Amino acid sequence: MREYKIAAIPADGIGPEVIAAGLQALVALARRDGGFGFDVTSFDWGSDRYKKTGTLMPEDGVEQLKTFDAIFFGAVGAPDVPDHITLWGLRLPICQGFDQYANVRPTRILPGIHSPLEGVGPGDLDWVIVRENSEGEYAGSGGRAHKGLPEEVGTEVAIFTRVGVTRIMRYAFRLAQSRPRKFLTVVTKSNAQRHGMVMWDEIAAEVSEEFPDVSWDKMLVDAMTVRMVKQPQSLDTIVATNLHADILSDLAGALAGSLGVAPTANIDPERRYPSMFEPIHGSAFDITGKGIANPVATFWTAAQMLDHLGEADAAKRLMIAVEQVCADGVMTPDVGGTATTRQVTDAVCEAIRGANL
């Protein structure tokens, strides 16, 4: 039997609730299949640890994760801890430490879930956003001088390397090539950012020569927000910088009905290190402990993890179960339902066990 070592980091807010739901679904899939299983180790890293020890994870945290096949991550962030501390103290060190340079965020409208876009339903919005995940605007380069004085200066330097841009472009073109429409939109802001973004455009054109069967176009990021709302059917695979794709993928999740259904995979395509899988929605302290967190994003994230591990059939079975449960109206309040996290999770696990899957 194939056994996968999974590092579970539930972290903050609703993270523990949705990770528990995701693990329950993974166990149901493994029991049904019989050919694989999971050895899960949980880590209590996050904001509570920071408030007790001054760090979100141990100094050797990244080293501890190296032996795992994948990382299943909940959410990080707390109202009483500055956001830049939580982000740079846990999530980004893992992403950058393992060179998870491809952040992959699929978006589509699931059955039973309504988009805020009038007349747009399942099949009209089916995208995958590829976010450059290692450099760009989140490279961490910059600083502050003369703190507290009138002449205080803060700099945030976006770093684009030929290696970094080329590899994410190749990843995005290859992903577009694998999808039925074979169509990629490259998002940029080269009219105003005339150095790194112009290089981004030039490298996109160069890499496109390697994929003659993939059609592609280019959009400025501000115009892209309009296109996503007005012409969702015109888009398929999308690639953008760390900052631009971060913003656009939240918009995409909202257009699909809720951030509660939006998944993420942080991938090391070369498989040198474990990749990390996390729902998009954040820690959501406003609903923590109420039992109404939407687990669908975590189920979809788990399906991405299964795909990455080579369990494509199980990934497909999980998503069919999720779609079936959503179509039956068993949904949490953020998407118009009345069900609890547990009720949705139990329904998905029951669907996994069903003979028709």
Side-chain angles (χ1 to χ4, degrees), residues 6-25:
I6 306 298
I9 309 176
D12 301 333
I14 63 171
E17 300 171 46
V18 296
I19 289 298
L23 291 174
Q24 185 177 331

Side-chain angles (χ1 to χ4, degrees), residues 84-85 142-155:
H84 69 280
I85 289 177
R144 292 170 67 182
H146 313 301
K147 280 189 178 183
L149 298 175
E151 63 269 27
E152 182 174 357
V153 175
T155 60

Side-chain angles (χ1 to χ4, degrees), residues 162-179:
R162 176 163 284 274
V163 168
V165 178
T166 300
R167 68 184 184 177
I168 200 63
M169 285 295 172
R170 282 205 180 105
Y171 185 93
F173 270 97
R174 197 172 295 118
L175 180 59
Q177 189 180 50
S178 72
R179 287 168 58 83

Side-chain angles (χ1 to χ4, degrees), residues 39-246:
D39 177 9
V40 179
T41 302
S42 291
F43 294 84
D44 63 346
W45 302 345
S47 295
D48 284 345
R49 187 184 192 280
Y50 174 81
K51 285 180 277 190
K52 293 173 185 174
T53 68
T55 59
L56 280 95
M57 68 176 177
E59 190 174 334
D60 67 342
V62 172
E63 190 66 29
Q64 288 186 40
L65 297 174
K66 273 188 178 178
T67 60
F68 289 88
D69 296 306
I71 302 161
F72 203 26
F73 190 91
V76 66
D80 53 351
V81 181
D83 287 341
H84 69 280
I85 289 177
T86 51
L87 186 64
W88 284 95
L90 186 56
R91 184 186 174 276
L92 286 182
I94 296 171
C95 289
Q96 295 184 354
F98 289 143
D99 202 17
Q100 297 165 350
Y101 66 83
N103 178 285
V104 183
R105 300 186 169 188
T107 305
R108 56 190 166 89
I109 301 172
L110 299 175
I113 295 178
H114 301 289
S115 168
L117 298 177
E118 187 175 350
V120 173
D124 295 322
L125 191 160
D126 186 355
W127 308 330
V128 179
I129 297 178
V130 177
R131 169 185 173 188
E132 199 293 313
N133 207 34
S134 67
E135 52 178 39
E137 304 88 347
Y138 296 172
S141 181
R144 292 170 67 182
H146 313 301
K147 280 189 178 183
L149 298 175
E151 63 269 27
E152 182 174 357
V153 175
T155 60
E156 203 75 54
V157 181
I159 295 177
F160 299 97
T161 66
R162 176 163 284 274
V163 168
V165 178
T166 300
R167 68 184 184 177
I168 200 63
M169 285 295 172
R170 282 205 180 105
Y171 185 93
F173 270 97
R174 197 172 295 118
L175 180 59
Q177 189 180 50
S178 72
R179 287 168 58 83
R181 291 178 62 183
K182 299 185 187 301
F183 177 64
L184 176 68
T185 297
V186 176
V187 178
T188 185
K189 191 57 183 170
S190 50
N191 59 341
Q193 295 175 286
R194 60 197 176 104
H195 302 301
M197 288 280 80
V198 170
M199 185 177 81
W200 177 272
D201 289 351
E202 292 171 355
I203 292 173
E206 291 169 12
V207 172
S208 72
E209 299 290 329
E210 303 172 20
F211 299 88
D213 58 333
V214 176
S215 302
W216 71 289
D217 63 5
K218 185 175 70 173
M219 291 291 293
L220 296 176
V221 65
D222 42 347
M224 183 63 170
T225 61
V226 178
R227 183 173 171 185
M228 288 169 69
V229 173
K230 294 287 190 179
Q231 299 174 291
Q233 300 93 337
S234 73
L235 296 164
D236 187 74
T237 311
I238 300 159
V239 63
T241 70
N242 218 332
L243 173 64
H244 293 163
D246 189 7

